[in-house]
């Protein structure tokens, strides 16, 4: 029992910052969805079924212009392709005994945040940890959407602004500790941030969508790092 | 087009779920190739770093509050603070700076 309950509880604990950050983002999504003419039910349904911020914002724009279903499918594929990379990485963390049902369930919750937190966990991944993360962050995502659609004025702008850094704070808490005292990881993280900044500033590169930028930089930087600094067995398990 | 909103939602949900599911189903065995393994090991660090910076700088109402949140998060994370602590205190520092500005 305890190898299910304990990881689940840990997941809930680590999921709270995700839920707070999600609340802020989905609150904004709710406001936009309302402006786009969606009912509260439709907006919350979209959030529950998709769990993807960029994809959902993109979808609102497409629905607004009465796009075809094919356009919708292709746009989502492009915006969300990074999840494919994340699932590949996650697949290697799974406990050997984790069967099909767990893979189907965990897949539903592969978001930037849930991926980031679960993949950097030490040792093998217990799916119940992911369920813990999902069981607080998904309600946070849905609740934020609902509050945003129903009223943009429930929360003062200051609170939304402050909550907007919750997810970034969490990302930093995930990547910085393993990099401490590790020159290689420090170098990789710094160059990733630097190149990301360049991509945002250089005129031609800044036109690339956020989703593609993440894919390009991840493939290039992680690829170069893997060739130059292949990881030894022991290091991989940390 | 209102009537089709649910179909749109189902289409996007289906595509997004498949993107997430397919690698988890087809990559069941442990990868032995050291380069591929290393690549997948580095992926999260690069992805999260790219997503965080410089996006965090424009996430809040002002650059200064964002910088405060960023610095607080870096320092606390370096000292080994938990996800929750780092995240909440970053939010709090943004809130305080925005009250002052």
């Amino acid at each position: 029992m305890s190898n299910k309950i304990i990881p689940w509880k840990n997941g809930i604990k680590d999921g709270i910052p995700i839920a707070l950050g999600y609340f802020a983002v989905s609150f904004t999504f709710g406001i936009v969805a309302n402006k786009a003419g969606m009912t509260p039910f439709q907006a919350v349904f979209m959030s529950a079924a998709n769990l993807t911020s960029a994809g959902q914002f993109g979808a609102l724009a497409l629905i607004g212009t009465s796009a075809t279903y094919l356009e919708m499918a292709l746009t989502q594929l492009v915006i969300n392709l990074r999840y494919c990379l994340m699932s590949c990485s996650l697949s290697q963390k799974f406990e050997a005994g984790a069967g099909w049902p767990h893979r189907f369930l965990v897949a539903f919750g592969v978001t930037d945040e849930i991926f980031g937190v679960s993949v950097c966990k030490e040792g093998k991944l217990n799916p119940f940890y992911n369920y813990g993360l999902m069981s607080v962050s998904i309600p946070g995502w849905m609740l934020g959407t609902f509050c945003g659609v129903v009223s943009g004025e429930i929360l003062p702008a200051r609170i939304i602004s402050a909550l907007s850094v919750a997810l970034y704070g969490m990302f930093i808490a995930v990547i910085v500790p393993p990099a401490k005292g590790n020159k290689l990881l420090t170098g990789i993280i710094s160059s990733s941030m630097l190149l990301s900044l360049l991509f945002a500033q250089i005129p031609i590169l800044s036109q690339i969508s956020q989703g593609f930028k993440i894919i390009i930089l991840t493939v290039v930087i992680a690829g170069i790092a893997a060739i130059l600094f292949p990881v030894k067995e022991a290091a991989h398990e940390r | 087009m209102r009537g089709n909103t649910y179909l749109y939602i189902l289409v996007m949900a289906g595509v997004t779920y498949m993107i997430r599911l397919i690698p988890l189903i087809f990559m069941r065995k442990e990868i032995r190739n050291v380069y591929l393994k290393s690549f997948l090991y580095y992926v999260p660090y690069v992805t999260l770093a790219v997503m965080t910076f410089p996006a965090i700088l424009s996430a809040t109402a002002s650059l200064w509050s964002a910088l405060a949140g960023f610095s607080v998060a870096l320092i606390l994370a370096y000292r080994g603070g938990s996800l929750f602590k780092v995240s909440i205190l970053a939010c709090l520092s943004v809130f305080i700076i925005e009250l002052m500005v």
Side-chain angles (χ1 to χ4, degrees), chain A residues 67 87 103-104 110 161 196 231, chain B residues 8 17 20 24 38 53 98:
Chain A
S87 283
R103 287 170 190 266
F104 279 96
V110 177
S161 177
S196 175
V231 184
Chain B
Y8 275 124
Y17 184 58
R20 290 164 163 155
L24 280 175
S38 307
F53 195 80
E98 289 187 0

Side-chain angles (χ1 to χ4, degrees), chain A residues 36 50-51 66-67 69 80 87 89 92 100 103-104 107 110 112 158 161 166 180 184 196 218 229 231 233, chain B residues 1-2 4 6 8 13 16-17 20 24-25 28 31 37-38 40 42 47 50-51 53 61 78 87-88 98:
Chain A
N50 287 277
L51 290 180
S66 304
Y69 296 114
N80 291 332
S87 283
S89 190
Q92 298 300 303
W100 293 100
R103 287 170 190 266
F104 279 96
V110 177
D112 300 344
R158 275 184 202 287
S161 177
K180 188 176 172 182
L184 180 58
S196 175
T218 302
F229 314 103
V231 184
E233 285 297 315
Chain B
M1 290 304 283
R2 277 297 141 232
N4 296 334
Y6 292 102
Y8 275 124
T16 306
Y17 184 58
R20 290 164 163 155
L24 280 175
I25 287 189
R28 300 201 63 182
I31 294 173
K37 253 183 123 156
S38 307
L40 293 175
Y42 290 129
T47 307
V50 167
M51 286 195 289
F53 195 80
Y78 190 77
S87 189
I88 288 296
E98 289 187 0

Side-chain angles (χ1 to χ4, degrees), chain A residues 1-13 95 97-99 101-102 105 121 124-135:
Chain A
M1 261 326 251
S2 66
N3 67 341
K4 292 179 181 167
I5 300 287
I6 292 172
W8 186 66
K9 280 186 179 164
N10 287 337
I12 288 182
K13 193 168 143 260
E95 281 174 351
H102 288 306
L105 286 171
K121 201 98 175 107
K124 285 291 175 189
L125 187 67
N126 185 319
F128 284 87
Y129 178 70
N130 283 52
Y131 302 153
L133 292 173
M134 287 160 75
S135 54

Side-chain angles (χ1 to χ4, degrees), chain A residues 215-227:
Chain A
I215 294 173
I216 295 169
L217 288 178
T218 302
V219 170
V220 170
I221 300 172
I224 294 174
I227 293 166

Side-chain angles (χ1 to χ4, degrees), chain A residues 160-174:
Chain A
I160 292 295
S161 177
L163 287 176
S164 302
V165 291
L167 296 176
Y168 299 116
M170 209 186 59
F171 288 157
I172 292 167
V174 168

Side-chain angles (χ1 to χ4, degrees), chain A residues 120 122 171-186 189 238, chain B residues 41 45 77:
Chain A
C120 290
E122 294 210 10
F171 288 157
I172 292 167
V174 168
I175 59 177
V176 168
K180 188 176 172 182
N182 182 331
K183 279 182 189 155
L184 180 58
L185 279 185
T186 307
I189 291 169
R238 70 142 291 118
Chain B
Y41 167 75
Y45 296 102

